[in-house]
Amino acid sequence: MPGRLLKSPMSRKQSFLYIICVVILVYVLVYMPTPYMINGPGSADELKPIVSVAGGQKDEKGTFMLTTISVTYANTAMLIASLFDSNEEIVRKTIQSNRAEYEAEQLYYMSSSQSYAIAAAYKKAGIPYGVEPQYVFVVSVPDARTSIHAGDKFISIDQQPITSFKQLEQVLQSKKNGDQVQVVLDRAGNQITLPVSLTQFKDSNGQERVGFGVSIGEVQKIAPKDADHEVHFANTNIGGPSAGLMFTLEIYNQLTSGDLTRGHRIAGTGTINPQGQVGEIGGVQHKVVAAQQAGATIFLVPKGNYADAKAQLAKMKSSMQLISVSTLDDALNALNTLSTS
């Protein structure tokens, strides 16, 4: 009939192809895995709500802040968007095979960082303490065939309790390659029992050993002789070792009289060991941005990261004061020279 439009088979085919193209595009942009992560500025978190000494001083006029970086497992759309953000950095994924392993490793680093920070603060404040093992857990699983998962905590092996490396070694020293043991694990709060066959491997010293073929870490508790000096940490979603210095300063500030902050907003980063030595970290340029956004006026940075932090501050035209430290004493000496804000 004149004036009537008919839809041809070709137009239906074109519509179908259009839908297929859209589906493929969405998959490529959003769902297709990539071998990259995006690092960027994270947060600058005040430590007073996170760290608490049972009988400690709570009269800070300013605040200490730990700084973080944001780590995102990137899809294609995120990678494209990050090209237009000068504060984001594209990096290849770490050697961990999945996010669970990455998170387990970061949890281990954070737990160790907290223990080291407590020990360093106690040592500086002259507070007697002991070291008690808490639990042994799985950091990473190189062999995907094993039934053990990253993040699993050992409860027992062949009905023998496991809370330390020493206990684990005592149980395994009489075993040989191929032996099967009954392992009780805590997996995300649930207790499970697994039969696991042991394997032979070389340790870091090149010696042949028998074990589970997984990377294992021990979490320790630093226990003061006086309960008034016990340190508690709130649960956070923060991982990694780089908050050690700032944890130590917050703990030491609560353990001793006076106020190290002197009314300033003091951010920073750096690992620490029980002897008070401060170590370098990664992503300092992102942490400086996070500190700036949170209103910090002072940033404590490991000596080895100073140049990168200074370059980032210059790039931002920031007036934030940058203090380079190699030890806890360096940080304390610098803080003691601050005027009251």
Side-chain angles (χ1 to χ4, degrees), residues 226-249:
D226 185 341
D228 280 346
H229 297 144
E230 188 168 355
V231 179
H232 301 278
F233 288 89
N235 291 327
T236 68
N237 293 321
I238 300 169
S242 62
L245 170 63
M246 303 312 294
F247 281 150
T248 305
L249 291 172

Side-chain angles (χ1 to χ4, degrees), residues 303-340:
K303 183 177 179 180
N305 296 122
Y306 180 81
D308 289 339
K310 184 177 180 181
Q312 182 63 40
L313 287 181
K315 179 181 175 182
M316 297 189 300
K317 296 181 173 58
S318 172
S319 61
M320 186 163 53
Q321 182 182 354
L322 192 64
I323 299 176
S324 172
V325 299
S326 296
T327 65
L328 173 60
D329 283 342
D330 288 344
L332 293 175
N333 290 337
L335 295 176
N336 285 330
T337 65
L338 296 178
S339 60
T340 302

Side-chain angles (χ1 to χ4, degrees), residues 116-184:
Y116 292 162
I118 297 171
Y122 283 171
K123 184 175 181 180
K124 183 63 182 176
I127 293 173
Y129 67 92
V131 180
E132 302 172 358
Q134 283 190 299
Y135 59 86
V136 176
F137 83 117
V138 180
V139 179
S140 64
V141 184
D143 188 349
R145 293 171 297 178
T146 183
S147 52
I148 296 177
H149 295 178
D152 286 349
K153 298 178 183 178
F154 284 90
I155 297 176
S156 67
I157 299 173
D158 285 346
Q159 300 183 333
Q160 298 185 58
I162 303 296
T163 59
S164 67
F165 279 142
K166 184 177 180 179
Q167 290 176 329
L168 182 64
E169 289 175 351
Q170 288 173 342
V171 171
L172 295 178
Q173 65 183 1
S174 62
K175 306 295 182 182
K176 61 182 182 297
N177 186 30
D179 283 354
Q180 189 175 86
V181 295
Q182 288 293 115
V183 181
V184 180

Side-chain angles (χ1 to χ4, degrees), residues 199-215:
T199 61
Q200 196 164 12
F201 64 95
K202 287 186 178 181
D203 63 16
S204 57
N205 296 319
Q207 296 181 333
E208 294 287 344
R209 301 174 69 93
V210 171
F212 298 99
V214 299
S215 176

